[in-house]
């Protein structure tokens, strides 16, 4: 069965004036000649992205779309009207966003995170910026501490909403961020907490003691490379700490506290120094 809005592995069965005819054994797909790979012959199998042309035919392309059906993606509006907007999909065909599927009005030149799906009435690809209608909120297959991929969506009163692993939606809290985030940005993140109501709290830093152990080694190595001293200590600002080590002040204090207990460093308000004996090693 041909999956519209997805990649399909199809067999070449014929050549016409318009292009190659491909099939999976049931339906046929037209692949225009400007998309045909060199040396493609009848009987060969070829992987193409399939969509519905405006005349209702199934069309194939070897171009790579910016999103497939089932994907969340950050796309650009290339045209708008009273009924809806069209967004660039990276193909000869743009994707339509009906007015009812726009969380806020879309205008030419805007960029939005949208979800791509099939219109059940005609199998055409459409998109929606009403993301909460498409994320999974039950049976969340994640655990606290898991590493995940994040697609930054937008800013809210509490922080930044982000799509998690192309399935869920979560929140990065402003007071825990030291980087500037932008909609459409892809980030690596970690699950901080999964709430009873299915809400997901996120972090841009690994969670748990294992991360502290790794960071202790990193800080110690940085000290050695910096001549034995770094101008950061108990009273340094969270921003300065994050700029140097990409960790929160709380995590930093745990790290240097552990190094101090191990008698590897000394700590002052605005400096940590490696102990001479350890530096000699």
């Amino acid at each position: 069965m041909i999956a519209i809005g997805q990649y399909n592995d199809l067999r070449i069965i014929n050549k016409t004036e318009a292009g190659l005819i491909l099939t999976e054994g049931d339906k046929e797909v037209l692949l225009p000649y400007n998309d045909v790979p060199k040396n493609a012959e009848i009987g060969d199998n070829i992987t193409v992205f399939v969509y519905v042309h405006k005349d209702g035919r199934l069309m194939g392309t070897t171009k790579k779309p910016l999103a497939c059906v089932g994907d969340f993606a950050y796309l650009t509006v290339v045209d708008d009207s009273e009924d809806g907007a069209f967004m660039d999909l990276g193909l000869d065909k743009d994707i339509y966003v009906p007015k009812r599927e726009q969380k806020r009005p879309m205008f030419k030149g805007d960029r939005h995170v949208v979800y791509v799906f099939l219109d059940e009435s005609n199998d055409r690809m459409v998109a929606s910026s009403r993301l909460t209608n498409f994320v999974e909120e039950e049976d969340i297959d994640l655990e606290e501490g898991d590493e995940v991929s994040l697609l930054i969506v937008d800013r809210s009163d509490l922080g930044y909403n982000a799509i998690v692993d192309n399935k869920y939606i979560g929140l990065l809290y402003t007071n825990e961020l030291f980087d500037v985030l932008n909609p459409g940005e892809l980030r690596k993140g970690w699950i901080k907490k999964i709430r009873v109501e299915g809400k997901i709290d996120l972090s841009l830093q690994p969670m748990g003691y294992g991360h502290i152990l790794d960071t202790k080694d990193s800080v110690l190595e940085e000290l050695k490379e910096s001549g034995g001293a770094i101008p950061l200590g108990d009273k340094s600002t969270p921003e300065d700490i994050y700029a140097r080590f990409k960790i929160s002040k709380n995590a930093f204090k745990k790290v240097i506290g552990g190094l101090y207990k191990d008698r590897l460093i000394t700590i002052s308000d605005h400096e940590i120094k490696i102990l001479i004996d350890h530096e000699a090693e």
Side-chain angles (χ1 to χ4, degrees):
M1 181 176 180
I2 291 177
I4 299 171
Q6 303 282 359
Y7 291 100
N8 292 258
D9 189 31
L10 305 177
R11 184 166 52 88
I12 303 171
I13 60 170
N14 197 10
K15 292 184 178 181
T16 69
E17 290 184 1
L20 300 182
I21 302 300
L22 317 176
T23 186
E24 92 294 17
D26 183 16
K27 296 182 179 180
E28 294 184 350
V29 174
L30 174 65
L31 179 66
Y33 281 117
N34 59 358
D35 275 341
V36 174
K38 292 181 179 179
N39 304 319
E41 298 290 343
I42 292 176
D44 292 348
N45 276 29
I46 185 172
T47 300
V48 296
F49 179 82
V50 177
Y51 62 92
V52 177
H53 191 263
K54 60 183 178 182
D55 63 9
R57 289 183 300 171
L58 290 179
M59 297 287 290
T61 178
T62 52
K63 296 184 178 72
K64 184 178 180 181
L66 297 176
C68 297
V69 165
D71 285 344
F72 293 89
Y74 189 53
L75 304 179
T76 302
V77 179
V78 293
D79 197 11
D80 63 81
S81 68
E82 291 184 1
D83 298 323
F86 288 91
M87 306 188 86
D88 179 20
L89 195 60
L91 305 175
D92 296 335
K93 173 187 174 62
D94 299 321
I95 190 167
Y96 184 57
V97 188
K99 205 76 170 180
R100 66 179 181 277
E101 293 294 344
Q102 298 178 21
K103 184 178 179 181
R104 65 176 187 272
M106 292 183 175
F107 301 101
K108 186 176 180 178
D110 290 347
R111 302 195 74 188
H112 300 265
V113 175
V114 295
Y115 179 76
V116 179
F117 63 103
L118 289 183
D119 185 331
E120 294 181 356
S121 66
N122 55 23
D123 280 340
R124 297 182 190 276
M125 295 174 64
V126 290
S128 173
S129 60
R130 298 185 181 276
L131 308 183
T132 54
N133 293 339
F134 302 96
V135 294
E136 297 182 21
E137 296 180 331
E138 298 180 359
D139 300 323
I140 296 175
D141 188 22
L142 293 170
E143 295 182 359
E144 293 179 12
D146 282 356
E147 181 180 318
V148 291
S149 63
L150 303 179
L151 171 61
I152 307 301
V153 176
D154 56 18
R155 186 165 189 168
S156 69
D157 292 339
L158 296 175
Y160 288 85
N161 296 306
I163 296 298
V164 182
D165 282 353
N166 202 47
K167 282 186 179 182
Y168 316 103
I169 194 163
L171 180 66
L172 291 156
Y173 289 91
T174 301
N175 63 352
E176 298 176 359
L177 295 174
F178 304 98
D179 272 0
V180 176
L181 298 179
N182 298 297
E185 193 173 348
L186 295 173
R187 286 292 191 113
K188 182 164 62 175
W190 285 265
I191 302 300
K192 181 180 178 184
K193 187 177 183 62
I194 301 176
R195 301 184 180 276
V196 175
E197 63 274 23
K199 305 293 184 182
I200 301 175
D201 293 346
L202 301 168
S203 174
L204 293 182
Q205 302 167 40
M207 313 300 294
Y209 190 65
H211 169 56
I212 299 299
L213 291 176
D214 291 342
T215 310
K216 283 171 67 175
D217 291 338
S218 299
V219 170
L220 202 57
E221 192 62 34
E222 183 83 2
L223 274 165
K224 293 176 183 177
E225 293 178 359
S226 301
I230 292 175
L232 294 172
D234 276 339
K235 294 188 177 179
S236 296
T237 67
E239 292 76 16
D240 287 344
I241 291 168
Y242 190 84
R244 185 74 179 249
F245 291 112
K246 296 294 184 287
I247 59 175
S248 67
K249 183 171 182 176
N250 184 51
F252 177 71
K253 291 181 76 171
K254 287 181 180 178
V255 169
I256 63 175
L259 291 171
Y260 178 78
K261 285 180 67 176
D262 293 339
R263 299 182 180 182
L264 298 176
I265 66 170
T266 60
I267 303 171
S268 61
D269 288 348
H270 295 285
E271 185 180 58
I272 56 174
K273 296 180 71 173
I274 198 167
L275 286 177
I276 295 175
D277 288 348
H278 186 77
E279 188 176 15
E281 294 175 9

